[in-house]
Amino acid sequence: MRCFLAVALPEEIKEILRGLQEELRAAGAGVRWVRPEGFHLTLKFFGEIPEKKLPSLVQAAEQTARDFEPFELTLSEIGFFPEKGTPRVVWVGLSGELETLKELHRRLEKAFKKTGFPPEKRPFHPHLTLGRVKEPQSTEALRRRAAELSVPGKSFRVEGLTFYRSKLRPDGALYTALATVELVCERE
Ligand code: ATP
Ligand code: MG
């Protein structure tokens, strides 16, 4: 199964992201927008794994999560990958306790490496994907529209990590939650 680990988002945050999608949709670019129920913050993409490997991944995540307390992130600006030229991904960035998030990511990579999953080579750019560009038309209009919009500076608490199965469909991936691990710092 195709599998990844992510931070699930509260309804209130998904609602804001959906609103931003609506505003951006008006630019008429060839974007496949993420299903609103599917918004998430990816921490690790595993690719295809045999189902029997999941328990060891969950265990690795649990051990790591034990060293972290819940923390807070805030929606920031709309951004694009790549930053210049024809965009491929439209996303919302994050501010707040980013150092904690990066440390959590680093520790997870370390734990999954021990479980046999090599760390991501690309640097970690935490982001909430709104959509993926499929046709290069009107991407200038999309960039202009994004620059005009202001993202509500809403915050949310990261209290857990969720393993998802991803089923690729022509009209966009379908995600199903497989297991959730809570951030529960047991240190004083
Ligand atoms: P689609 O690929 O059909 O556009 P998707 O990207 O939403 O849909 P997946 O490809 O299964 O679905 O990806 C699941 C999550 O993992 C997404 O957040 C995606 O950005 C991320 N992801 C996918 N491939 C990689 C990769 N090679 N490295 C890092 N993250 C990835
Ligand atoms: Mg993908």
Side-chain angles (χ1 to χ4, degrees), residues 2 4 32 40 42 45 120 122 132 134 166 168 173 175:
R2 191 176 172 94
F4 66 98
R32 193 168 71 202
H40 62 272
T42 305
F45 178 74
E120 185 68 45
R122 297 180 296 183
R132 296 180 175 85
K134 295 296 164 187
S166 170
L168 298 183
Y175 311 133

PDB file of all heavy atoms in Angstrom, residues 2 4 32 40 42 45 120 122 132 134 166 168 173 175, ligand 1:
ATOM      1  N   ARG A   2       0.339   2.327  -0.588  1.00  0.00           N
ATOM      2  CA  ARG A   2       1.050   3.597  -0.612  1.00  0.00           C
ATOM      3  C   ARG A   2       0.776   4.296   0.713  1.00  0.00           C
ATOM      4  O   ARG A   2      -0.394   4.435   1.091  1.00  0.00           O
ATOM      5  CB  ARG A   2       0.508   4.407  -1.789  1.00  0.00           C
ATOM      6  CG  ARG A   2       1.285   5.639  -2.151  1.00  0.00           C
ATOM      7  CD  ARG A   2       0.647   6.247  -3.400  1.00  0.00           C
ATOM      8  NE  ARG A   2       1.205   7.531  -3.736  1.00  0.00           N
ATOM      9  CZ  ARG A   2       2.210   7.693  -4.595  1.00  0.00           C
ATOM     10  NH1 ARG A   2       2.733   6.663  -5.214  1.00  0.00           N
ATOM     11  NH2 ARG A   2       2.660   8.912  -4.853  1.00  0.00           N
ATOM     12  N   PHE A   4       1.908   7.273   3.945  1.00  0.00           N
ATOM     13  CA  PHE A   4       2.660   8.448   4.424  1.00  0.00           C
ATOM     14  C   PHE A   4       2.226   8.817   5.832  1.00  0.00           C
ATOM     15  O   PHE A   4       1.159   8.389   6.294  1.00  0.00           O
ATOM     16  CB  PHE A   4       2.514   9.628   3.450  1.00  0.00           C
ATOM     17  CG  PHE A   4       1.132  10.211   3.329  1.00  0.00           C
ATOM     18  CD1 PHE A   4       0.771  11.350   4.033  1.00  0.00           C
ATOM     19  CD2 PHE A   4       0.180   9.620   2.493  1.00  0.00           C
ATOM     20  CE1 PHE A   4      -0.508  11.906   3.899  1.00  0.00           C
ATOM     21  CE2 PHE A   4      -1.098  10.162   2.356  1.00  0.00           C
ATOM     22  CZ  PHE A   4      -1.438  11.301   3.062  1.00  0.00           C
ATOM     23  N   ARG A  32      -5.266  20.718 -10.112  1.00  0.00           N
ATOM     24  CA  ARG A  32      -6.115  19.721  -9.463  1.00  0.00           C
ATOM     25  C   ARG A  32      -6.069  20.016  -7.967  1.00  0.00           C
ATOM     26  O   ARG A  32      -5.043  19.862  -7.319  1.00  0.00           O
ATOM     27  CB  ARG A  32      -5.635  18.308  -9.745  1.00  0.00           C
ATOM     28  CG  ARG A  32      -6.701  17.289  -9.336  1.00  0.00           C
ATOM     29  CD  ARG A  32      -6.387  15.935  -9.863  1.00  0.00           C
ATOM     30  NE  ARG A  32      -5.247  15.435  -9.116  1.00  0.00           N
ATOM     31  CZ  ARG A  32      -4.441  14.484  -9.553  1.00  0.00           C
ATOM     32  NH1 ARG A  32      -4.601  13.956 -10.745  1.00  0.00           N
ATOM     33  NH2 ARG A  32      -3.459  14.077  -8.811  1.00  0.00           N
ATOM     34  N   HIS A  40      -3.570  17.989   4.730  1.00  0.00           N
ATOM     35  CA  HIS A  40      -2.692  17.440   5.768  1.00  0.00           C
ATOM     36  C   HIS A  40      -1.320  18.086   5.669  1.00  0.00           C
ATOM     37  O   HIS A  40      -1.011  18.741   4.666  1.00  0.00           O
ATOM     38  CB  HIS A  40      -2.551  15.929   5.573  1.00  0.00           C
ATOM     39  CG  HIS A  40      -1.920  15.578   4.256  1.00  0.00           C
ATOM     40  ND1 HIS A  40      -2.660  15.401   3.100  1.00  0.00           N
ATOM     41  CD2 HIS A  40      -0.630  15.437   3.888  1.00  0.00           C
ATOM     42  CE1 HIS A  40      -1.841  15.156   2.093  1.00  0.00           C
ATOM     43  NE2 HIS A  40      -0.593  15.176   2.543  1.00  0.00           N
ATOM     44  N   THR A  42       2.374  16.784   5.511  1.00  0.00           N
ATOM     45  CA  THR A  42       3.187  15.561   5.359  1.00  0.00           C
ATOM     46  C   THR A  42       4.495  15.651   6.145  1.00  0.00           C
ATOM     47  O   THR A  42       5.212  16.647   6.060  1.00  0.00           O
ATOM     48  CB  THR A  42       3.539  15.310   3.880  1.00  0.00           C
ATOM     49  OG1 THR A  42       2.327  15.267   3.123  1.00  0.00           O
ATOM     50  CG2 THR A  42       4.285  13.985   3.702  1.00  0.00           C
ATOM     51  N   PHE A  45       6.962  10.494   3.574  1.00  0.00           N
ATOM     52  CA  PHE A  45       6.312   9.719   2.529  1.00  0.00           C
ATOM     53  C   PHE A  45       7.072   8.400   2.398  1.00  0.00           C
ATOM     54  O   PHE A  45       8.277   8.394   2.178  1.00  0.00           O
ATOM     55  CB  PHE A  45       6.353  10.500   1.209  1.00  0.00           C
ATOM     56  CG  PHE A  45       5.756   9.755   0.059  1.00  0.00           C
ATOM     57  CD1 PHE A  45       4.380   9.596  -0.055  1.00  0.00           C
ATOM     58  CD2 PHE A  45       6.573   9.213  -0.923  1.00  0.00           C
ATOM     59  CE1 PHE A  45       3.832   8.901  -1.123  1.00  0.00           C
ATOM     60  CE2 PHE A  45       6.025   8.517  -1.990  1.00  0.00           C
ATOM     61  CZ  PHE A  45       4.653   8.366  -2.089  1.00  0.00           C
ATOM     62  N   GLU A 120      14.585  11.415   3.519  1.00  0.00           N
ATOM     63  CA  GLU A 120      14.332  12.265   2.361  1.00  0.00           C
ATOM     64  C   GLU A 120      15.604  13.055   2.056  1.00  0.00           C
ATOM     65  O   GLU A 120      16.231  13.589   2.959  1.00  0.00           O
ATOM     66  CB  GLU A 120      13.185  13.207   2.733  1.00  0.00           C
ATOM     67  CG  GLU A 120      12.679  14.088   1.636  1.00  0.00           C
ATOM     68  CD  GLU A 120      11.983  13.311   0.542  1.00  0.00           C
ATOM     69  OE1 GLU A 120      11.164  12.419   0.842  1.00  0.00           O
ATOM     70  OE2 GLU A 120      12.284  13.597  -0.628  1.00  0.00           O
ATOM     71  N   ARG A 122      15.698  15.700  -0.056  1.00  0.00           N
ATOM     72  CA  ARG A 122      15.374  17.121  -0.177  1.00  0.00           C
ATOM     73  C   ARG A 122      15.152  17.723   1.210  1.00  0.00           C
ATOM     74  O   ARG A 122      14.697  17.041   2.118  1.00  0.00           O
ATOM     75  CB  ARG A 122      14.092  17.297  -1.009  1.00  0.00           C
ATOM     76  CG  ARG A 122      14.235  16.803  -2.433  1.00  0.00           C
ATOM     77  CD  ARG A 122      12.958  16.994  -3.218  1.00  0.00           C
ATOM     78  NE  ARG A 122      11.858  16.197  -2.684  1.00  0.00           N
ATOM     79  CZ  ARG A 122      10.650  16.148  -3.239  1.00  0.00           C
ATOM     80  NH1 ARG A 122      10.388  16.853  -4.311  1.00  0.00           N
ATOM     81  NH2 ARG A 122       9.705  15.393  -2.704  1.00  0.00           N
ATOM     82  N   ARG A 132      -2.288  20.898  -7.108  1.00  0.00           N
ATOM     83  CA  ARG A 132      -1.141  20.584  -7.957  1.00  0.00           C
ATOM     84  C   ARG A 132      -1.466  20.989  -9.387  1.00  0.00           C
ATOM     85  O   ARG A 132      -2.535  20.655  -9.914  1.00  0.00           O
ATOM     86  CB  ARG A 132      -0.833  19.092  -7.881  1.00  0.00           C
ATOM     87  CG  ARG A 132      -0.412  18.689  -6.477  1.00  0.00           C
ATOM     88  CD  ARG A 132      -0.104  17.223  -6.353  1.00  0.00           C
ATOM     89  NE  ARG A 132       0.406  16.935  -5.016  1.00  0.00           N
ATOM     90  CZ  ARG A 132      -0.352  16.698  -3.945  1.00  0.00           C
ATOM     91  NH1 ARG A 132      -1.661  16.690  -4.059  1.00  0.00           N
ATOM     92  NH2 ARG A 132       0.196  16.464  -2.772  1.00  0.00           N
ATOM     93  N   LYS A 134      -1.663  20.915 -13.146  1.00  0.00           N
ATOM     94  CA  LYS A 134      -1.677  19.840 -14.139  1.00  0.00           C
ATOM     95  C   LYS A 134      -1.495  20.366 -15.553  1.00  0.00           C
ATOM     96  O   LYS A 134      -0.965  19.680 -16.419  1.00  0.00           O
ATOM     97  CB  LYS A 134      -2.992  19.040 -14.038  1.00  0.00           C
ATOM     98  CG  LYS A 134      -3.145  18.292 -12.714  1.00  0.00           C
ATOM     99  CD  LYS A 134      -2.065  17.221 -12.551  1.00  0.00           C
ATOM    100  CE  LYS A 134      -1.984  16.752 -11.097  1.00  0.00           C
ATOM    101  NZ  LYS A 134      -0.858  15.843 -10.849  1.00  0.00           N
ATOM    102  N   SER A 166      -2.684   6.031   0.871  1.00  0.00           N
ATOM    103  CA  SER A 166      -3.071   6.882  -0.251  1.00  0.00           C
ATOM    104  C   SER A 166      -3.417   6.012  -1.446  1.00  0.00           C
ATOM    105  O   SER A 166      -2.620   5.183  -1.873  1.00  0.00           O
ATOM    106  CB  SER A 166      -1.908   7.816  -0.597  1.00  0.00           C
ATOM    107  OG  SER A 166      -2.181   8.483  -1.807  1.00  0.00           O
ATOM    108  N   LEU A 168      -4.201   6.324  -5.284  1.00  0.00           N
ATOM    109  CA  LEU A 168      -4.150   7.281  -6.378  1.00  0.00           C
ATOM    110  C   LEU A 168      -5.330   7.067  -7.308  1.00  0.00           C
ATOM    111  O   LEU A 168      -5.634   5.946  -7.705  1.00  0.00           O
ATOM    112  CB  LEU A 168      -2.826   7.148  -7.145  1.00  0.00           C
ATOM    113  CG  LEU A 168      -1.556   7.429  -6.339  1.00  0.00           C
ATOM    114  CD1 LEU A 168      -0.324   7.331  -7.231  1.00  0.00           C
ATOM    115  CD2 LEU A 168      -1.609   8.787  -5.661  1.00  0.00           C
ATOM    116  N   ALA A 173      -5.832  11.854  -5.239  1.00  0.00           N
ATOM    117  CA  ALA A 173      -5.624  10.751  -4.300  1.00  0.00           C
ATOM    118  C   ALA A 173      -6.690  10.727  -3.207  1.00  0.00           C
ATOM    119  O   ALA A 173      -7.209  11.760  -2.813  1.00  0.00           O
ATOM    120  CB  ALA A 173      -4.245  10.880  -3.676  1.00  0.00           C
ATOM    121  N   TYR A 175      -7.237   9.481   0.674  1.00  0.00           N
ATOM    122  CA  TYR A 175      -6.461   9.096   1.854  1.00  0.00           C
ATOM    123  C   TYR A 175      -7.356   8.441   2.899  1.00  0.00           C
ATOM    124  O   TYR A 175      -8.456   8.902   3.140  1.00  0.00           O
ATOM    125  CB  TYR A 175      -5.814  10.322   2.497  1.00  0.00           C
ATOM    126  CG  TYR A 175      -5.075  11.238   1.555  1.00  0.00           C
ATOM    127  CD1 TYR A 175      -5.271  12.609   1.617  1.00  0.00           C
ATOM    128  CD2 TYR A 175      -4.174  10.738   0.618  1.00  0.00           C
ATOM    129  CE1 TYR A 175      -4.591  13.474   0.771  1.00  0.00           C
ATOM    130  CE2 TYR A 175      -3.495  11.590  -0.229  1.00  0.00           C
ATOM    131  CZ  TYR A 175      -3.712  12.959  -0.155  1.00  0.00           C
ATOM    132  OH  TYR A 175      -3.037  13.805  -0.990  1.00  0.00           O
TER     133      TYR A 175
HETATM  134  P1  ATP B   1      -1.208  12.813  -6.590  1.00  0.00           P
HETATM  135  O1  ATP B   1       0.151  12.151  -6.526  1.00  0.00           O
HETATM  136  O2  ATP B   1      -2.229  11.999  -7.359  1.00  0.00           O
HETATM  137  O3  ATP B   1      -1.161  14.237  -7.009  1.00  0.00           O
HETATM  138  P2  ATP B   1      -0.982  13.119  -3.738  1.00  0.00           P
HETATM  139  O4  ATP B   1       0.373  13.688  -4.025  1.00  0.00           O
HETATM  140  O5  ATP B   1      -1.912  13.855  -2.863  1.00  0.00           O
HETATM  141  O6  ATP B   1      -1.775  12.830  -5.086  1.00  0.00           O
HETATM  142  P3  ATP B   1       0.511  10.877  -2.883  1.00  0.00           P
HETATM  143  O7  ATP B   1       1.375  11.003  -4.103  1.00  0.00           O
HETATM  144  O8  ATP B   1       0.136   9.511  -2.438  1.00  0.00           O
HETATM  145  O9  ATP B   1      -0.829  11.662  -3.106  1.00  0.00           O
HETATM  146  O10 ATP B   1       1.242  11.633  -1.710  1.00  0.00           O
HETATM  147  C1  ATP B   1       0.790  11.615  -0.377  1.00  0.00           C
HETATM  148  C2  ATP B   1       1.507  12.714   0.384  1.00  0.00           C
HETATM  149  O11 ATP B   1       2.922  12.469   0.364  1.00  0.00           O
HETATM  150  C3  ATP B   1       1.335  14.099  -0.238  1.00  0.00           C
HETATM  151  O12 ATP B   1       1.371  15.061   0.808  1.00  0.00           O
HETATM  152  C4  ATP B   1       2.538  14.260  -1.121  1.00  0.00           C
HETATM  153  O13 ATP B   1       2.904  15.614  -1.285  1.00  0.00           O
HETATM  154  C5  ATP B   1       3.609  13.515  -0.335  1.00  0.00           C
HETATM  155  N1  ATP B   1       4.573  12.910  -1.236  1.00  0.00           N
HETATM  156  C6  ATP B   1       4.319  12.163  -2.325  1.00  0.00           C
HETATM  157  N2  ATP B   1       5.434  11.730  -2.927  1.00  0.00           N
HETATM  158  C7  ATP B   1       6.456  12.226  -2.201  1.00  0.00           C
HETATM  159  C8  ATP B   1       7.874  12.137  -2.292  1.00  0.00           C
HETATM  160  N3  ATP B   1       8.482  11.466  -3.252  1.00  0.00           N
HETATM  161  N4  ATP B   1       8.588  12.775  -1.359  1.00  0.00           N
HETATM  162  C9  ATP B   1       8.009  13.482  -0.379  1.00  0.00           C
HETATM  163  N5  ATP B   1       6.678  13.588  -0.216  1.00  0.00           N
HETATM  164  C10 ATP B   1       5.906  12.988  -1.109  1.00  0.00           C
END
